[in-house]
Amino acid sequence: PNFPAAGVSHRVARGARAMAPPGDEAPEAEAEAVAAPARRPRGAVELHPRPLLDPELPRLLEERGFPGSHARSIWEHLLEHPLCTDVAEVPSLPKALLPWLSEHFTTSTASVKRRMASQDGTTKLLISLQDGVEVEAVVINHGGDGEFSSVSRPRMKPGATLCLSSQAGCRMGCKFCATGTLGLIRSLHAGEILEQLRLARTVRPDIRKIVFMGMGEPLENFDAVTSVVRLLTSEQVLFRLGGRPVTLSTVAPTPNCITRLVDAGLAGSTRLAVSLHAPTQELREQIVPSARVMPLPKLMDEIDAFGRAASKVSKRAREEGVLIEYCMLKGVNDSAECAHQLGELLHPRRDMVYVNVIPFNPVFGLPYEAPSEDVVWEFVRLLGTHGVKGHARRQLANDIAAACGQLAKKEVDSVFA
C-alpha cells in the first residue's frame, strides 16, 4: 500500500544514544536505533519506547531494510486486538524484525487511568501518557436526534464519534474554556494522538468519526496532527472509519494557519471547524485572546480559501462546507444584534459555511451562563434571515464534565463504567 508521508520528520542514526532517554548513555556497540524526532512537538518529551501506532513506522521499517507494509499488518492487529501487549503476537512478521521492534517500540505508551460514563451514553477517558502527563478523550454517543435547528439537517447514523486531544492543556486562553485554565503542558506526538483511538475502541468499537475538539489547539501542533489526519483519511478501511471521517477544530491562532492546511492538500479529505464565537473583532478579542493576531477579515479570507479548495475535490466536501462554532454566552454574544452581525459577516460565504451554536457548558469558576433555549432558537432563526444555515448543539455529558469546553481533568460525581 501507499502510505502517506508523515508530517513529523525523524532520522535513523547508528549508535547508542538514538533511543536513549535524556541523560542515559547506551553502549557504543548497540545496533542501529531510531532517533528522536528532528522536529519535536512543542514541549514534547522523547518517547522511549515509541508507540507502534505511529505514522512514521512505514518509513522507519524501510530504512531498516524491511517492507513498509509490515506497519499496516501491525496496525491492523493492534486495532483488532486493542488489549495486545506483545508485538510478537502479530502474524507474519519476520523473526529478524522482532528484536528491533521490541527494543524500540511498544504496543502502547498510554493507558486509561479513569473512565466516566454519562447518562446520555457519552464516555470520558482520562489517559495517562508515558511521562505521566494526562489528557482526556471523549467518546460521544449519537443516535441522530436531539438537535434543534432552523433548517432541515440529515440525521446522523447511530454510532460513536471520538473527540481527540492534540495537546495536554492549551495556551489559547479562551475565556469560556476549562482547558485554557490549565495552560499548555505539552504537545502530543502523532503516536500519542492515535493511541487515543485504540484505547477508545475498547469502549466503543463502532467509532466512525474523529473530531479534533478535545484538549489543545490542533494547529499549534501542526506536524503531528496533520500526519495523523493523513493516515486516518487515507486508511479509512483499516481504521474502520466512515467517509470524510475527520473534523479539525481551530481558533486559527496565527495568520495563514488555515492556508497551511490547504497547501498540505487536506481541504478535500478533512472538514474544517473554526471556533469563531463572536461576530466582531473587538468582541472576539475579549473572549478569544489569540484573536489579537488574527484579524477577522484575514480569517474570513482563509475560510473562503479552504472552502473553495474543498469544493473542488468532491460534492460531499462542497455540501458539508466549513463549520463555524459559536459558543453562546448569556449577555455576552447572544443578542439579536450579534445574530445580525454574524449573519452579515457570513452572508457572502453562506453557501460554504454552517453555524454550530453551542450553548455554554458550565465550568466551575468561570463567570458565564448559558442563554435560555428560546434565546438560542431566536439566534439561529435570525441567522436564517441572512441566508446563513445553522443549528444549535444539544448539550451532552455535562454530568461528567465532558461537554465542549469542559475538559480539565476534573473528577465529578457520575456513573463509572
Side-chain angles (χ1 to χ4, degrees):
N2 294 320
F3 291 93
V8 183
S9 60
H10 295 70
R11 64 185 184 277
V12 173
R14 292 188 178 276
R17 284 182 54 86
M19 285 295 288
D24 286 359
E25 298 291 340
E28 289 294 333
E30 266 194 7
E32 180 178 318
V34 184
R39 288 188 64 189
R40 190 183 304 166
R42 179 190 296 269
V45 297
E46 285 188 33
L47 298 181
H48 177 74
R50 288 171 59 171
L52 283 165
L53 204 59
D54 187 329
E56 283 283 308
L57 187 57
R59 183 184 65 77
L60 296 172
L61 286 169
E62 289 171 358
E63 291 181 352
R64 291 284 301 180
F66 294 98
S69 57
H70 287 318
R72 197 179 195 281
S73 300
I74 293 169
W75 295 339
E76 185 173 18
H77 184 84
L78 292 180
L79 292 167
E80 290 290 337
H81 304 86
L83 300 180
C84 172
T85 59
D86 188 353
V87 70
E89 297 175 11
V90 180
S92 304
L93 288 182
K95 290 184 178 179
L97 175 58
L98 294 178
W100 179 75
L101 286 177
S102 297
E103 181 178 359
H104 300 302
F105 295 87
T106 181
T107 56
S108 182
T109 64
S111 61
V112 176
K113 185 175 180 179
R114 188 169 66 234
R115 175 175 159 183
M116 305 178 71
S118 169
Q119 293 180 352
D120 59 37
T122 299
T123 301
K124 181 171 72 171
L125 303 177
L126 179 64
I127 296 172
S128 180
L129 305 178
Q130 190 179 81
D131 59 351
V133 168
E134 296 171 344
V135 297
E136 289 181 323
V138 180
V139 183
I140 305 165
N141 179 64
H142 52 76
D145 58 359
E147 292 176 342
F148 48 95
S149 172
S150 65
V151 296
S152 61
R153 182 172 174 81
R155 288 173 173 250
M156 296 180 70
K157 295 180 179 179
T161 294
L162 174 61
C163 180
L164 287 175
S165 290
S166 57
Q167 296 178 309
C170 182
R171 74 185 189 106
M172 294 298 99
C174 297
K175 300 300 185 182
F176 48 83
C177 180
T179 308
T181 66
L182 302 175
L184 177 61
I185 300 167
R186 72 169 176 88
S187 291
L188 272 58
H189 290 274
E192 292 177 310
I193 297 172
L194 280 170
E195 283 189 316
Q196 295 172 59
L197 173 57
R198 183 177 176 226
L199 293 171
R201 279 262 165 81
T202 64
V203 176
R204 287 292 295 265
D206 60 341
I207 292 170
R208 297 291 179 263
K209 296 286 185 181
I210 303 292
V211 293
F212 281 86
M213 297 182 182
M215 290 180 162
E217 165 50 55
L219 296 190
E220 280 243 303
N221 192 11
F222 189 90
D223 289 338
V225 167
T226 53
S227 69
V228 170
V229 170
R230 287 193 186 99
L231 183 57
L232 293 176
T233 55
S234 66
E235 291 284 356
Q236 292 166 223
V237 174
L238 172 65
F239 287 94
R240 305 198 301 278
L241 300 173
R244 208 159 180 256
V246 176
T247 298
L248 192 154
S249 174
T250 178
V251 298
T254 57
N256 302 315
C257 61
I258 294 174
T259 303
R260 288 183 70 192
L261 289 174
V262 177
D263 294 342
L266 296 177
S269 61
T270 308
R271 191 179 192 190
L272 176 68
V274 176
S275 295
L276 187 63
H277 307 309
T280 66
Q281 181 69 20
E282 180 182 9
L283 180 56
R284 190 165 191 255
E285 288 183 13
Q286 292 176 19
I287 58 179
V288 183
S290 61
R292 294 169 189 148
V293 297
M294 176 61 102
L296 208 48
K298 170 64 174 170
L299 177 55
M300 292 299 110
D301 287 344
E302 295 198 31
I303 288 173
D304 292 345
F306 189 98
R308 287 193 299 269
S311 67
K312 293 178 182 178
V313 175
S314 70
K315 179 181 179 182
R316 178 170 184 171
R318 181 172 64 253
E319 290 175 346
E320 287 186 342
V322 176
L323 190 64
I324 303 296
E325 297 174 306
Y326 194 94
C327 179
M328 189 170 286
L329 309 171
K330 181 179 179 180
V332 177
N333 62 354
D334 63 341
S335 66
E337 180 183 13
C338 284
H340 286 299
Q341 289 173 330
L342 184 62
E344 291 169 4
L345 178 69
L346 298 179
H347 177 78
R349 48 200 59 85
R350 60 193 178 280
D351 293 332
M352 70 169 66
V353 299
Y354 193 96
V355 180
N356 186 3
V357 177
I358 309 166
F360 173 71
N361 293 298
V363 175
F364 180 79
L366 297 186
Y368 300 109
E369 297 179 24
S372 68
E373 187 172 307
D374 288 343
V375 170
V376 176
W377 269 94
E378 179 65 7
F379 194 97
V380 175
R381 187 192 70 79
L382 291 174
L383 288 179
T385 65
H386 295 270
V388 177
K389 299 181 291 294
H391 74 282
R393 184 186 295 179
R394 179 168 57 122
Q395 292 181 295
L396 296 172
N398 275 325
D399 57 330
I400 58 169
C404 181
Q406 291 183 321
L407 299 186
K409 303 185 296 182
K410 300 294 184 183
E411 183 173 2
V412 297
D413 293 334
S414 70
V415 179
F416 280 77

